[in-house]
Amino acid sequence: MSENIIINSNNDTAFLGHPKGLAYLFFAELWERFSFYGMRALLTLYMVEEIFKSLSNRDFATAAVYASYGSLVYASTVIGGQVSDKILGMRSSIFLGGILMAVGHFVLAIENDIAFFLALAFIIVGNGFFKPNISTFVGALYKEGDVRKDSGFTIFYMGINIGGWIAPLLCGWLAIKYGYHYGFGLAGIGMMTGLLFFWSGIKKNVFGDKGLPPNNEVYEKPIIGIPQKTFIPILAVLFVPVIAYILSSYEAIMGGETILGDETIVGLIFKIIGITILFYLGKIMLKATLDERKKLFMAILITFFMTLFWGFHELSGSVITLFASRNVALDGLMSAAQTNSLNSMFIIILAIPISLLWGYLTKKNLNPRTPYKFGLGLVLAGASFYILALSEGSADENGMVPFAYLIVMYLILSIGELFMSPVGLSKITSLSPKSIVAFMMGIWFLSSAYAFQIVGFIGKELAIENTGKEINGLVSLGIYTDGFMLISQYALGAGLIVILFSPLMKKIMGDVH
Ligand code: GLN
């Protein structure tokens, strides 16, 4: 359908000119992200200071578990999306996911190592059902061709970041004042609030017939005597201890050799999946027409660069939080956990100006091609880490650097995010051949999952040994800033290569971008 045809799919303009249902999804997702990012702000510090505090390689173990958690929390969305499409429908999936996530956050509030891994597993399974389906639900509010859809997603992205902005501030404050468990408890309350919003939307019938199971027969059809609508939640809960086991079986935690040596089970699984995906994509490429091949190549390329970008960006919850806690003079303005709110704060401030900029440049016929924007995004990521690396020069005698460096770093990184993430999300659907759009969407989500493998690798490289004494600030500063300089060079290098090859790519790809 032509983009120029203006179709206002329904007359519902109750929420900022958008369907009323968007308001309920907006608040449901705001509170779900509140729980997700509130918990994420505390996770690394909690592992280093509580769960693994007695290990000599506690940073290393923390990085490994953080990577496995992050990879699985995004990879599970691929399965949650499929199960919703085929059996549960979006409503039941969102409820199931939300309840599991809330349980996870409340279990985290229990002071116990086994509870810790079970809690992470609950959140992984829950997020798999919640996150992809609430995003698809937003799209379902609009008929095809409705021009409000893109701005609907921009409003939704705002909800995500309002949650990501307030949560680290509040949960971080509670964690310092009363203890980590209160912070995790608040995250759980946040998730319950999100579910209440979603439930009240259903009660008020704002979603019409959207999000119901795709096929009632399948929904009710029994498997070993249990209807699928009940079987799936039971299966989901049964998976929780399995995932908890996978997360915790790692030699750095177990204190002995495992057959995988230094590798995590999750790392191994992801390597196998990665190779399989590449073979599958190769097969599709061979069969495709030239135009499809070009589009698919472009989709794969931007997904690859997105993975790289998230791999640096997602360091915020791990190495950068540790850097903030060990080497940044926060001067009582924020705690290390609270600095996690800076990214979302800048996204809230800049999302609308940058989307207006693309609109303005399109009118002038100057809107950069997607790969060019992605190149710039990576260059910005490189610049942001360069700022952090530079901070070493302004450190005091204890190795503490001024807070301003971290703030400027997040400002630049957030601009980079806005050059890539929203642009890529809308591009991926138009670049993928119709028959594999859902598959490509899954791959797009997997880019965040793979990014956490990069985060884990960097986190382990920058791990500081626990000698039982207070960490020497000058030692950790040296390790971190050397690492940031290397990351900066990789990101700048990758970004500059993309920009440099842009003219050639334009020649080969024509209007595919
Ligand atoms: N900040 C965005 C969200 O939470 C995207 C994060 C990601 O995909 N890594 O939805």
Side-chain angles (χ1 to χ4, degrees):
M1 192 170 296
S2 155
E3 281 176 11
N4 312 330
I5 304 175
I6 298 181
I7 301 172
N8 207 339
S9 56
N10 50 46
N11 302 323
D12 184 357
T13 52
F15 179 58
L16 308 168
H18 288 262
K20 210 177 186 174
L22 184 65
Y24 289 85
L25 297 181
F26 174 93
F27 285 108
E29 175 65 344
L30 186 159
W31 284 107
E32 182 270 331
R33 288 286 103 180
F34 177 97
S35 76
F36 185 83
Y37 283 116
M39 175 275 202
R40 196 196 74 164
L42 307 181
L43 184 58
T44 286
L45 292 170
Y46 178 61
M47 283 196 270
V48 167
E49 289 171 12
E50 304 270 336
I51 299 286
F52 301 137
K53 70 168 181 258
S54 55
L55 297 181
S56 65
N57 53 0
R58 61 179 176 183
D59 278 19
F60 199 89
T62 297
V65 174
Y66 188 83
S68 297
Y69 162 74
S71 287
L72 291 175
V73 95
Y74 278 102
S76 63
T77 58
V78 180
I79 299 170
Q82 296 284 334
V83 172
S84 165
D85 280 355
K86 301 213 160 62
I87 307 165
L88 286 185
M90 295 180 284
R91 290 186 194 191
S92 306
S93 302
I94 291 170
F95 271 119
L96 172 62
I99 292 168
L100 292 175
M101 282 183 84
V103 170
H105 290 302
F106 289 128
V107 173
L108 256 186
I110 303 170
E111 259 171 273
N112 176 285
D113 287 8
I114 297 173
F116 172 72
F117 288 109
L118 277 174
L120 292 187
F122 266 112
I123 297 169
I124 287 168
V125 180
N127 190 64
F129 284 103
F130 192 99
K131 178 82 169 151
N133 291 306
I134 194 141
S135 321
T136 343
F137 213 139
V138 174
L141 295 178
Y142 305 88
K143 284 202 181 117
E144 208 186 320
D146 190 329
V147 285
R148 298 173 303 167
K149 192 167 165 175
D150 268 5
S151 60
F153 269 108
T154 308
I155 294 173
F156 187 69
Y157 205 61
M158 282 290 179
I160 288 178
N161 283 292
I162 293 174
W165 169 51
I166 320 170
L169 295 177
L170 291 183
C171 296
W173 173 75
L174 275 180
I176 293 268
K177 188 131 175 91
Y178 300 101
Y180 282 109
H181 302 284
Y182 288 88
F184 292 133
L186 181 64
I189 293 171
M191 187 61 249
M192 296 296 286
T193 315
L195 273 179
L196 272 178
F197 269 101
F198 187 64
W199 179 74
S200 70
I202 289 177
K203 279 274 145 254
K204 290 184 183 142
N205 201 22
V206 295
F207 302 122
D209 59 356
K210 313 258 163 51
L212 294 168
N215 182 338
N216 251 331
E217 242 170 70
V218 177
Y219 191 62
E220 302 286 348
K221 193 176 152 199
I223 295 182
I224 48 168
I226 309 166
Q228 299 214 25
K229 62 177 180 192
T230 320
F231 185 77
I232 301 279
I234 294 175
L235 198 65
V237 173
L238 287 179
F239 254 101
V240 168
V242 178
I243 292 177
Y245 175 76
I246 288 176
L247 282 175
S248 63
S249 33
Y250 180 56
E251 71 160 343
I253 303 164
M254 311 274 270
E257 279 292 318
T258 67
I259 39 168
L260 293 178
D262 210 12
E263 176 73 291
T264 56
I265 299 181
V266 178
L268 186 71
I269 295 172
F270 270 76
K271 284 192 181 84
I272 297 170
I273 296 176
I275 295 169
T276 318
I277 292 174
L278 286 181
F279 269 109
Y280 183 64
L281 284 173
K283 213 176 115 193
I284 294 176
M285 281 278 229
L286 283 177
K287 280 195 201 151
T289 62
L290 182 64
D291 185 55
E292 279 178 344
R293 212 173 278 171
K294 279 185 185 173
K295 284 186 175 164
L296 202 55
F297 179 73
M298 187 57 77
I300 296 167
L301 208 65
I302 62 171
T303 306
F304 174 76
F305 291 126
M306 200 66 239
T307 310
L308 217 53
F309 181 84
W310 287 134
F312 303 135
H313 181 287
E314 292 287 355
L315 283 168
S316 47
S318 94
V319 171
I320 299 174
T321 301
L322 287 179
F323 175 70
S325 105
R326 292 164 181 172
N327 286 103
V328 178
L330 298 166
D331 296 332
L333 291 171
M334 272 185 181
S335 68
Q338 288 177 323
T339 61
N340 274 274
S341 69
L342 292 169
N343 169 232
S344 282
M345 182 188 85
F346 284 123
I347 295 285
I348 295 167
I349 299 171
L350 296 167
I352 292 174
I354 291 187
S355 84
L356 290 177
L357 174 73
W358 302 143
Y360 173 78
L361 290 175
T362 306
K363 270 195 205 133
K364 300 237 152 203
N365 227 353
L366 287 172
N367 196 3
R369 294 161 68 87
T370 313
Y372 197 84
K373 278 184 192 152
F374 270 54
L376 285 176
L378 281 167
V379 166
L380 286 165
S384 70
F385 277 92
Y386 189 66
I387 299 283
L388 273 197
L390 280 189
S391 70
E392 189 178 16
S394 308
D396 66 13
E397 69 282 2
N398 298 317
M400 302 299 273
V401 307
F403 191 11
Y405 282 95
L406 192 65
I407 298 175
V408 175
M409 181 268 180
Y410 270 120
L411 167 67
I412 300 174
L413 188 66
S414 306
I415 301 175
E417 178 179 341
L418 287 167
F419 273 40
M420 298 177 81
S421 176
V423 180
L425 186 64
S426 76
K427 273 282 154 192
I428 208 83
T429 39
S430 52
L431 286 171
S432 309
K434 279 243 159 2
S435 56
I436 56 159
V437 176
F439 171 74
M440 286 307 291
M441 223 29 195
I443 305 268
W444 177 257
F445 269 123
L446 276 184
S447 73
S448 295
Y450 273 95
F452 276 89
Q453 293 296 307
I454 302 178
V455 172
F457 173 78
I458 299 174
K460 286 183 202 165
E461 290 292 313
L462 303 185
I464 291 161
E465 206 197 334
N466 178 14
T467 55
K469 292 193 204 111
E470 186 116 351
I471 287 177
N472 180 324
L474 289 172
V475 172
S476 63
L477 181 70
I479 293 175
Y480 287 135
T481 50
D482 282 356
F484 296 151
M485 189 55 100
L486 259 176
I487 294 168
S488 150
Q489 286 164 0
Y490 277 112
L492 279 174
L496 288 176
I497 289 174
V498 181
I499 291 173
L500 228 60
F501 276 94
S502 261
L504 180 70
M505 201 126 70
K506 188 173 174 183
K507 248 192 185 146
I508 302 171
M509 293 297 204
D511 55 5
V512 175
H513 66 95

